[in-house]
Amino acid sequence: SQQGEEDPQALSIQEGENATMNCSYKTSINNLQWYRQNSGRGLVHLILIRSNEREKHSGRLRVTLDTSKKSSSLLITASRAADTASYFCATDASGGSYIPTFGRGTSLIVHP
Amino acid sequence: DTEVTQTPKHLVMGMTNKKSLKCEQHMGHRAMYWYKQKAKKPPELMFVYSYEKLSINESVPSRFSPECPNSSLLNLHLHALQPEDSALYLCASSQDLSAAENTEAFFGQGTRLTVV
């Protein structure tokens, strides 16, 4: 069953702009991760944030986590056409096991 | 080597056929997963293996039969599938099922399955 819900479902921006995607989830988690998927192929791991962390950075990516609101956001700064992809958040299933459970995803289009 | 290799990349099979999807990793990971993904939908968990033993079966129909012959290999045997089983099948691996220790799951490129 899906745990996370991404918002918006689709996002269209110009190159150079920032893209922000949000993820909400329902139950307590250990970790929250963001993945990218190009053209329906394999998923690429972007970043993992643990439940005791509030913010993480990786290059042009910034992820925040608010466990009180059960939500996370992914910010891509200075977007490029190559960032065009679907982005998914994934949370651990309950019980403490590392089993990524995916939200519905955000489809990002970056226009050159 | 941080790759998860899936074969074949594409598969077309009839409803009476028997086929197998294969997944291989050489990262020493002890947890391996099968996910199914329909178009414009998120990946849905099917099976989880931990230390070569089936740990989770998400109520998957018996026409899908997983197998883990050793710590590097994961198979998904397919028999008497239906057209609605057409999807992208993704394999993944992680260090183990410990939430405290893992940093990411590595995914293969998937097998695009079409049932005719």
Side-chain angles (χ1 to χ4, degrees), chain A residues 54-72:
Chain A
R54 291 296 168 259
E55 187 171 314
K56 282 187 92 167
H57 297 256
S58 177
R60 294 184 295 113
L61 305 180
R62 173 176 169 255
V63 168
T64 62
L65 179 64
D66 187 335
T67 52
S68 67
K69 295 181 180 178
K70 291 187 170 59
S71 68
S72 173

Side-chain angles (χ1 to χ4, degrees), chain A residues 1-2 30-31 33 35 37 39-45 48 50 88 92 96-105, chain B residues 9-10 33 35 37 41-43 45 56 88 90 94 96-105 107-110 112:
Chain A
S1 60
Q2 287 173 232
N30 295 302
N31 307 301
Q33 304 171 80
Y35 285 83
Q37 186 176 38
S39 302
R41 300 307 293 182
L43 288 98
V44 175
H45 185 266
L48 177 147
R50 300 200 187 277
F88 295 93
D92 296 322
S97 294
Y98 181 83
I99 301 175
T101 303
F102 290 87
R104 65 185 177 192
Chain B
K9 287 187 171 53
H10 300 273
Y33 315 75
Y35 287 84
Q37 186 179 24
K41 297 288 187 183
L45 185 69
I56 291 177
L88 181 68
L90 292 161
S94 69
D96 58 29
L97 290 186
S98 168
E101 297 299 323
N102 277 288
T103 57
E104 66 179 285
F107 280 80
Q109 289 299 299
R112 177 76 61 188

Side-chain angles (χ1 to χ4, degrees), chain B:
Chain B
D1 182 3
T2 57
E3 275 195 4
V4 175
T5 303
Q6 287 188 246
T7 55
K9 287 187 171 53
H10 300 273
L11 178 62
V12 179
M13 61 184 290
M15 289 187 283
T16 58
N17 291 160
K18 285 185 181 180
K19 296 286 184 183
S20 297
L21 309 185
K22 297 187 183 300
C23 174
E24 191 168 3
Q25 57 88 13
H26 296 287
M27 294 176 278
H29 288 172
R30 305 315 298 267
M32 296 186 77
Y33 315 75
W34 280 114
Y35 287 84
K36 173 183 177 180
Q37 186 179 24
K38 302 282 276 184
K40 300 190 187 303
K41 297 288 187 183
E44 293 184 351
L45 185 69
M46 299 175 73
F47 302 103
V48 180
Y49 272 81
S50 176
Y51 289 83
E52 300 159 52
K53 288 185 169 36
L54 184 63
S55 179
I56 291 177
N57 175 343
E58 291 284 290
S59 303
V60 179
S62 60
R63 58 186 184 269
F64 296 91
S65 175
E67 178 197 20
C68 190
N70 60 55
S71 60
S72 298
L73 293 175
L74 186 66
N75 298 322
L76 186 63
H77 302 298
L78 313 173
H79 174 54
L81 294 194
Q82 303 297 311
E84 58 264 30
D85 296 321
S86 298
L88 181 68
Y89 288 84
L90 292 161
C91 173
S93 71
S94 69
Q95 186 176 326
D96 58 29
L97 290 186
S98 168
E101 297 299 323
N102 277 288
T103 57
E104 66 179 285
F106 292 81
F107 280 80
Q109 289 299 299
T111 294
R112 177 76 61 188
L113 175 67
T114 303
V115 182
V116 296

Side-chain angles (χ1 to χ4, degrees), chain A residues 2-92:
Chain A
Q2 287 173 232
Q3 161 80 302
E5 294 291 333
E6 280 90 336
D7 172 49
Q9 290 192 52
L11 183 59
S12 181
I13 61 174
Q14 294 297 128
E15 223 170 19
E17 294 179 342
N18 295 342
T20 299
M21 288 160 268
N22 302 297
C23 168
S24 60
Y25 55 92
K26 297 173 184 165
T27 61
S28 296
I29 61 171
N30 295 302
N31 307 301
L32 186 143
Q33 304 171 80
W34 286 90
Y35 285 83
R36 185 184 75 220
Q37 186 176 38
N38 291 82
S39 302
R41 300 307 293 182
L43 288 98
V44 175
H45 185 266
L46 296 176
I47 201 163
L48 177 147
I49 187 166
R50 300 200 187 277
S51 59
N52 62 353
E53 297 176 313
R54 291 296 168 259
E55 187 171 314
K56 282 187 92 167
H57 297 256
S58 177
R60 294 184 295 113
L61 305 180
R62 173 176 169 255
V63 168
T64 62
L65 179 64
D66 187 335
T67 52
S68 67
K69 295 181 180 178
K70 291 187 170 59
S71 68
S72 173
S73 68
L74 169 67
L75 168 66
I76 305 174
T77 60
S79 63
R80 305 166 182 167
D83 295 327
T84 295
S86 292
Y87 291 82
F88 295 93
C89 70
T91 54
D92 296 322

